Amino acid sequence: MAIKQKLLDILTKRYGENFVSEVKAFSEGRNIFATVIEKTPITKTVLMDMLSDELRLSWIDINKFHLEKSIDLLPLDTIREKKVIPISVVGNVMSLVMTDVMDVLLKDELSIVTGYEIIPVMAFPPDIIKTVESLKRTPSSDYGDYEYDYDNVEQIKEQTDFGVTEEVLDKSEEAPIVKMVNLLVKGGLNQRASDIHIEPMEDCIRVRYRIDGALHDILTIPKNKQSVLFTRLKIISGMDITEWRIPQDGRFRIKHKDKIVDFRVSALPTIAGEKFVLRVLDKSNLQVGLDELGFLPGPLAEFKHAIKHPYGLILVTGPTGSGKSTTLYSVLQQLNTPDVHIITVEDPVEYQVEGLTQIQAHAEIGLTFASALRAILRQSPDIVLVGEIRDAETADIAVKASLTGHLVLSTLHTNDAAGAITRLIDMDIEPFLVASSLILSSAQRLCRRICPNCKEEVDIPVEVFEKEGFEKPEGVVFYKGRGCEQCKGTGYYGRIATIETLTLNDKIRALILKGATSDEIKEFAVRECGMRTLRDNTFELFLQGTTTFEEVLRITSES
């Protein structure tokens, strides 16, 4: 424990190293706080006063407190596992006696679970442990429902054929489990998570948030909460609570800080139970428009010019999680006017936007991208968004639609902009149709921003630039994030889109008709048309001090 080391440091400073060596010898296998009191002249009051002065935290004698009511503020299993004792709640602040008041991670974890700001309070650690071991939940406790008296679904009496009982269903609607789910969801929003992962393990449930593209462990939940927790998630997501053997998808929305946030929920059966991933779909991100996505002036101008065309095909490529949907929806928001008819077909529908006609594809009942697209074209649309071009039939209809008076927006999974051209040809689209229909192809990634709170200058040797094929610019200051509490020690806070755009002209169309490869098209566009690659544009963000050199290499390693 960090508090133990702090005690040793104080004792060393005040009484010398020999004194501390003797204390360590006596405390072999025993609690060091108890050892100090028993084997030295230092009293409990003096010891706690020393710690209180050093840490500038108050301390209490836990033995003099009546805890019958206050322990109901936390589940008993949490109190026992974490060795903490709630004292009081005032407003949104909980005073919490902690065995180790220097454990910042535990403090943050309990803040997320309880929804309160945690104020740590010191007490004599052996007294805390003794008190925790003696605590019993009172039968009349309002919070006692959190102490469920059953284990996993497999062990519940009167289990139904569907793997969930009425008892589990009833418990999933009770206040404590509702509060737990709300706290997990709102905790993710407060920490800017793009995804919330709720993963069953062998002996617990792990919760992780994806923040700025990276997963962070947040907390673990006891295994015996799995049944009611997962049932609650299914209820609010509109899933079938009687089905746990096949994957399911659902969605729900909440109001958070005066805005509506949608969640797309995926449940996947695993050997330890169903794993849930909640994707955060914040529509406020779509209101910013193209100008605020972070594109550099060159690519931004090309994109704006492309969407002014009355018909044709615009493609945004990149891996999953690269911001393609946000970019396309930002375009649609800009084009969404009363005199324009916009229809989308997606699987699943990412954002529900007023003014758009949105279709959810269901391949299992025959409503594929291709069949939906055929029906859409009979609805007299001006602009069509196809969530993804996955097969030759969808590609063929999308290309032909773009040649018959419709502006078609869609995505592909390719590494660069030129790769989208050859991918369409590989899907048996005639080269002359690709050359005639395609207005612009782009490749997008998301790179992490340097945390503004801990941003500092860094020197990068010339050899590092040369090794990666760059020339070290003169007179430019380079930056990185040192790591702080705001960015959770990562050095990054938030993300920004970086993109390469390939606008087709007559020369590139001629190359397509000649059967040029994607590499040949890319090299020609860079050499003759002035196209800046994804690597070039991301390197420019680094020179501007927006991101780091490491991010440039990570984002563009395949481009």
Side-chain angles (χ1 to χ4, degrees), residues 27 197 403:
S27 68
H197 290 244
L403 290 170

Side-chain angles (χ1 to χ4, degrees), residues 459-479:
D459 182 44
I460 303 177
V462 65
E463 296 80 11
V464 175
F465 287 95
E466 292 176 349
K467 180 182 177 182
E468 301 298 336
F470 292 102
E471 289 186 12
K472 182 175 182 179
E474 297 294 334
V476 177
V477 179
F478 310 123
Y479 295 95

Side-chain angles (χ1 to χ4, degrees), residues 329-544:
Y329 269 99
S330 295
V331 170
L332 291 185
Q333 288 280 50
Q334 193 163 325
L335 299 176
N336 186 15
T337 57
D339 59 331
V340 175
H341 184 200
I342 302 175
I343 304 181
T344 77
V345 54
E346 306 162 75
D347 184 22
V349 173
E350 294 274 5
Y351 300 94
Q352 296 179 17
V353 181
E354 186 177 352
L356 306 186
T357 302
Q358 297 175 273
I359 301 171
Q360 169 75 56
H362 289 286
E364 63 274 11
I365 61 172
L367 185 58
T368 62
F369 277 119
S371 61
L373 194 49
R374 284 196 195 92
I376 285 172
L377 297 179
R378 294 192 286 271
Q379 293 284 317
S380 183
D382 298 296
I383 300 170
V384 177
L385 169 65
V386 182
E388 182 183 345
I389 295 178
R390 297 176 178 173
D391 52 56
E393 186 178 13
T394 305
D396 181 63
I397 299 171
V399 167
K400 290 178 179 176
S402 69
L403 290 170
T404 55
H406 306 90
L407 181 62
V408 179
L409 311 174
S410 191
T411 69
L412 274 175
H413 287 286
T414 61
N415 286 333
D416 57 20
I421 296 172
T422 52
R423 178 65 57 83
L424 289 176
I425 295 173
D426 290 341
M427 289 179 171
D428 296 326
I429 306 300
E430 293 291 343
F432 75 90
L433 291 177
V434 176
S436 302
S437 63
L438 191 60
I439 302 170
L440 177 141
S441 175
S442 62
Q444 180 172 313
R445 302 289 190 277
L446 293 176
C447 68
R448 294 179 290 178
R449 293 176 181 266
I450 298 173
C451 175
N453 190 54
C454 60
K455 186 175 183 179
E456 64 181 15
E457 295 183 15
V458 61
D459 182 44
I460 303 177
V462 65
E463 296 80 11
V464 175
F465 287 95
E466 292 176 349
K467 180 182 177 182
E468 301 298 336
F470 292 102
E471 289 186 12
K472 182 175 182 179
E474 297 294 334
V476 177
V477 179
F478 310 123
Y479 295 95
K480 71 170 185 178
R482 181 179 62 257
C484 63
E485 185 176 347
Q486 177 175 299
C487 64
K488 299 187 179 300
T490 63
Y492 299 99
Y493 190 87
R495 291 188 290 178
I496 187 172
T498 178
I499 196 168
E500 72 175 20
T501 50
L502 173 59
T503 301
L504 270 68
N505 57 28
D506 291 341
K507 293 181 179 179
I508 293 177
R509 292 190 176 96
L511 281 178
I512 295 172
L513 296 175
K514 291 178 182 178
T517 66
S518 61
D519 288 339
E520 291 171 341
I521 294 172
K522 183 174 183 176
E523 290 173 6
F524 179 85
V526 171
R527 185 179 66 252
E528 301 294 333
C529 306
M531 185 185 92
R532 290 176 59 86
T533 65
L534 188 67
R535 193 174 178 88
D536 293 335
N537 287 332
T538 311
F539 188 71
E540 181 64 28
L541 291 175
F542 161 64
L543 296 181
Q544 293 177 358

Side-chain angles (χ1 to χ4, degrees), residues 313-327:
L313 177 63
I314 296 174
L315 294 176
V316 179
T317 74
T320 301
S322 58
K324 301 187 298 295
S325 295
T326 300
T327 296

Side-chain angles (χ1 to χ4, degrees), residues 145-153 156 163-174 176-178 180-181 205 221-236 241 276:
D145 289 336
Y146 204 93
E147 282 293 302
Y148 300 114
D149 296 324
Y150 47 83
D151 294 318
N152 297 331
V153 170
I156 301 176
V164 63
T165 66
E166 290 185 9
E167 182 183 13
V168 173
L169 184 57
D170 291 341
K171 289 288 185 181
S172 71
E173 292 287 358
E174 292 181 355
I177 198 64
V178 172
M180 176 190 282
V181 172
I205 303 166
I221 299 172
K223 187 73 172 179
N224 66 346
K225 305 297 185 291
Q226 180 167 309
S227 303
V228 287
L229 172 61
F230 290 1
T231 300
R232 176 62 185 169
L233 288 170
K234 287 183 177 181
I235 289 172
I236 65 174
I241 63 171
F276 287 78

